Amino acid sequence: MAFRTSFRSMATSSRQSLKIGMIPADGIGREVLPGAKAAIQALGSSLPKTEFIDLLAGFEYFTKTGTALPQETVEVLKNECDCALFGAVSSPSRKVVGYSSPIVALRKKMDLYANIRPVSSVAPSPEEKPQVDLVVIRENTECLYVKQETQTVGENGKEARATRLITERASRRVGEMAFKTALARPRKHVTIIHKSNVLSITDGLFRETVRAVPTLPGVNGAYDSVTIAEQLVDSAVYRLFREPHIYDVMVAPNLYGDIISDAAAALVGSLGLVPSINAGDTFVMGEPVHGSAPDIAGQDIANPLAAIRSAALMLRHLGYGDGADRIENAVDEVIREGRYLTPDLGGKSKTSEVVSEVVKRI
């Protein structure tokens, strides 16, 4: 399964403790992150002594303090934590003076340059619906998410512009992550997602840089077994719904990766099932793909499985593969059994009930 993919391990045999920053942020983030914590705690002595450090961030925190991401949160993550889990943020769709998304800022400040989002079927699919087993690797620090926007008034009225940044360094790093991920998977296939037929300079640089990863100095044929394909982003979305089985590892600039991974979640039943990690060379932060879902916040019906799976991905990235397997197997059993599912999956269970069932199986 995609969730068992081995990513770059940051574990060391001398690790005596594990300090995990907990940033629930907004909405259902506060309801699903305790489930991830409970799953980790259920592993018991198979992990080093584990400490959870509660940290603040989010739009609600901004409305109270004028700051979405306190500097203290960043400093604690950098100086005290080995990894982190993030819940969800309620970034408004309208412009709010002084506000900027804390998760976007965290990715940049912690240099978490790759967002790794596995999407995989668990329950058998109907005959007309193919199985899904893919990983979207999204560049995490630039593209339009540099948030350099201006608005002026011209002869056509208001004119809004946004700067899109694609660099060789960022494209190379996320490309290397994609090839390393593909190398650890059975199919060993990478699809580069771009729109360089229109954006020939920015997407062209991304495409060319990722394609060149196998030829980098020091690689020495390590990726000879990995096949490379390309797909324009619009046709990639179309084929994702028609032929998801053709994809293995999809690597994309920030915006495309965000859209593609959310679309892929529809193929497996719910955003509430899809996990991710934000990964860098020295730090990793788990984050469920879903948003803060204010319409259901506080009702104990949010799906905790994406957050729990994100905790497992985080542990696997740190080198705790056995613990990650236990969590992922427990989640898969709950899904296949079908007795304890939240409303987004057609069930009637509460968030707390699903967490209890997963913990029992761990």
Side-chain angles (χ1 to χ4, degrees), residues 49-330:
K49 180 181 178 182
T50 303
E51 179 183 350
F52 297 89
I53 302 175
D54 295 327
L55 299 170
L56 296 169
F59 183 69
E60 184 176 316
Y61 186 78
F62 171 81
T63 61
K64 295 177 181 178
T65 66
T67 301
L69 179 62
Q71 185 58 31
E72 180 184 358
T73 292
V74 178
E75 292 301 320
V76 170
L77 289 175
K78 287 183 175 180
N79 300 317
E80 299 182 31
C81 296
D82 301 295
C83 56
L85 288 169
F86 189 93
V89 65
S90 295
S91 291
S93 57
R94 68 189 189 284
K95 179 177 176 58
V96 176
V97 176
Y99 176 78
S100 183
S101 169
I103 185 61
V104 172
L106 270 174
R107 291 166 181 163
K108 294 176 182 176
K109 289 178 181 292
M110 301 299 293
D111 198 24
L112 304 176
Y113 58 83
N115 189 240
I116 302 170
R117 298 182 169 188
V119 183
S120 181
S121 305
V122 174
S125 297
E127 288 185 9
E128 71 278 6
K129 188 176 181 181
Q131 289 289 105
V132 180
D133 184 7
L134 59 88
V135 181
V136 177
I137 298 188
R138 165 191 175 192
E139 198 289 315
N140 221 14
T141 62
E142 50 184 38
C143 191
L144 287 169
Y145 289 72
V146 296
K147 297 195 67 163
Q148 296 176 8
E149 296 182 287
T150 60
Q151 182 173 287
T152 58
V153 178
E155 61 181 23
N156 296 315
K158 291 180 180 179
E159 298 177 356
R161 291 178 173 83
T163 297
R164 184 174 193 248
L165 177 66
I166 301 290
T167 67
E168 186 177 24
R169 177 175 181 264
S171 302
R172 182 178 64 250
R173 292 200 299 178
V174 78
E176 289 181 283
M177 185 71 79
F179 277 91
K180 288 176 181 177
T181 301
L183 198 62
R185 289 170 59 84
R187 290 175 57 195
K188 296 177 172 50
H189 183 77
V190 169
T191 304
I192 306 168
I193 307 300
H194 60 83
K195 190 67 176 175
S196 61
N197 61 327
V198 176
L199 301 171
S200 59
I201 297 177
T202 50
D203 272 13
L205 177 61
F206 181 84
R207 170 190 172 274
E208 293 162 9
T209 304
V210 175
R211 283 201 72 97
V213 166
T215 65
L216 289 172
V219 171
N220 298 324
Y223 303 126
D224 286 352
S225 61
V226 178
T227 57
I228 307 172
E230 298 180 25
Q231 195 77 51
L232 298 178
V233 62
D234 45 351
S235 59
V237 174
Y238 174 78
R239 296 192 72 183
L240 187 63
F241 284 101
R242 299 274 298 190
E243 310 166 89
H245 55 281
I246 71 171
Y247 294 115
D248 182 24
V249 175
M250 306 173 76
V251 59
N254 207 334
L255 179 61
Y256 303 159
D258 195 3
I259 294 169
I260 287 169
S261 53
D262 279 15
L267 300 173
V268 296
S270 172
L271 275 171
L273 292 175
V274 180
S276 80
I277 53 172
N278 301 277
D281 293 331
T282 59
F283 199 82
V284 60
M285 179 170 64
E287 177 197 2
V289 170
H290 62 69
S292 62
D295 56 321
I296 62 169
Q299 300 178 42
D300 194 26
I301 59 172
N303 191 338
L305 297 181
I308 294 172
R309 280 175 158 171
S310 296
L313 279 179
M314 179 189 73
L315 292 176
R316 188 177 302 285
H317 195 78
L318 290 168
Y320 301 109
D322 291 343
D325 284 344
R326 286 172 58 188
I327 293 175
E328 289 164 350
N329 289 335

